[in-house]
């Protein structure tokens, strides 16, 4: 596989999954990364003078491993994201991750999971017992996706070189 495509695939998958989020605010939906990374922000009242502050970080992301396999015929990808993290300051009962248009098939953790659910833009993992601050934890998520933006499947059938 082309090394540049593998790097791009991993980067695109990271955009879908890597950042814990906070719930939308009253002004509208906010898709802001808890790490302060820039994400799309859709506000009901887009006042240019209104200050928008980064949300509090709930966890330290220690390591992110992405295993991405593209399917050029179906223009999709299958991936597994493994996230090592540690809660900051307060025990963490629920981990919320950005996950736009992902079909999640499995969520595993080294801490007992009570439940997990997906929405249109998130994966929410609820742990049976809160994870104490500074305790390392791992979540592994298997998913498929059909990227609509940012990742393009250019094949020989479309006239591109192999």
């Amino acid at each position: 596989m082309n090394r540049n495509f593998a790097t791009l695939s991993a980067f695109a998958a990271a955009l879908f999954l890597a950042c814990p989020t906070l719930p939308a605010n009253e002004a509208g939906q906010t898709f802001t990364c808890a790490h302060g990374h820039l994400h799309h922000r859709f506000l009901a009242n887009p006042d240019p003078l209104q200050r928008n502050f980064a949300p509090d970080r709930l966890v330290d992301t220690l390591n992110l491993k992405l295993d991405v396999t593209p399917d050029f015929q179906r223009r999709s990808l299958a991936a597994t994201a493994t996230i090592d993290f540690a809660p900051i300051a307060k025990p963490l009962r629920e981990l919320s991750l950005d996950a736009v248009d992902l079909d999640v098939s499995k969520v595993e953790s080294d801490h007992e999971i009570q439940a997990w659910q997906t929405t249109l833009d998130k994966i929410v993992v609820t742990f049976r017992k809160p994870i104490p601050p500074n305790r390392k934890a791992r979540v592994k998520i298997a998913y498929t996706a059909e990227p609509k933006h940012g990742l393009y499947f250019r094949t020989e059938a479309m006239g591109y070189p192999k």
Side-chain angles (χ1 to χ4, degrees), residues 2 23 25 29 39 52 63 69 71-72 80 82 90 96 101 105 114 122-123 130 142 146 151 153 157 160:
N2 180 328
N25 63 22
Q29 292 185 337
H39 287 267
N52 294 310
N63 189 45
T69 304
D71 183 334
F72 288 93
T80 301
T82 304
K90 294 191 264 185
S96 180
D101 293 332
S105 59
Q114 179 176 330
K122 292 181 187 170
I123 299 170
E146 294 181 21
L151 182 64
F153 295 91
Y160 291 95

Side-chain angles (χ1 to χ4, degrees), residues 4-23:
N4 290 337
F5 179 79
T7 301
L8 179 60
S9 297
F11 179 74
L15 288 178
F16 286 119
L17 199 51
C19 297
T21 61
L22 294 176

Side-chain angles (χ1 to χ4, degrees), residues 5-160:
F5 179 79
T7 301
L8 179 60
S9 297
F11 179 74
L15 288 178
F16 286 119
L17 199 51
C19 297
T21 61
L22 294 176
N25 63 22
E26 291 103 31
Q29 292 185 337
T30 304
F31 302 97
T32 311
C33 173
H35 298 289
H37 298 145
L38 180 61
H39 287 267
H40 298 290
R41 182 179 288 240
F42 303 96
L43 296 175
N45 182 14
D47 181 359
L49 300 177
Q50 180 182 3
R51 291 185 177 195
N52 294 310
F53 298 99
D56 292 335
R57 284 186 336 140
L58 302 178
V59 300
D60 247 344
T61 301
L62 306 172
N63 189 45
L64 171 64
K65 177 184 173 188
L66 295 170
D67 181 5
V68 180
T69 304
D71 183 334
F72 288 93
Q73 299 304 319
R74 293 187 176 126
R75 295 183 183 196
S76 65
L77 57 88
T80 301
T82 304
I83 305 166
D84 295 327
F85 65 94
I88 300 172
K90 294 191 264 185
L92 181 77
R93 176 85 195 267
E94 190 173 88
L95 178 67
S96 180
L97 302 167
D98 286 347
V100 178
D101 293 332
L102 298 184
D103 184 14
V104 177
S105 59
K106 185 193 257 184
V107 177
E108 299 174 317
S109 178
D110 57 356
H111 287 73
E112 190 176 356
I113 295 175
Q114 179 176 330
W116 62 271
Q117 65 178 345
T118 59
T119 66
L120 292 176
D121 62 349
K122 292 181 187 170
I123 299 170
V124 181
V125 181
T126 304
F127 298 99
R128 179 137 339 260
K129 295 179 182 174
I131 301 169
N134 300 318
R135 170 90 43 98
K136 291 182 183 178
R138 174 174 284 176
V139 171
K140 186 174 181 180
I141 301 167
Y143 64 95
T144 57
E146 294 181 21
K148 293 171 182 55
H149 304 286
L151 182 64
Y152 303 97
F153 295 91
R154 304 199 190 281
T155 64
E156 290 181 81
M158 296 169 68
Y160 291 95

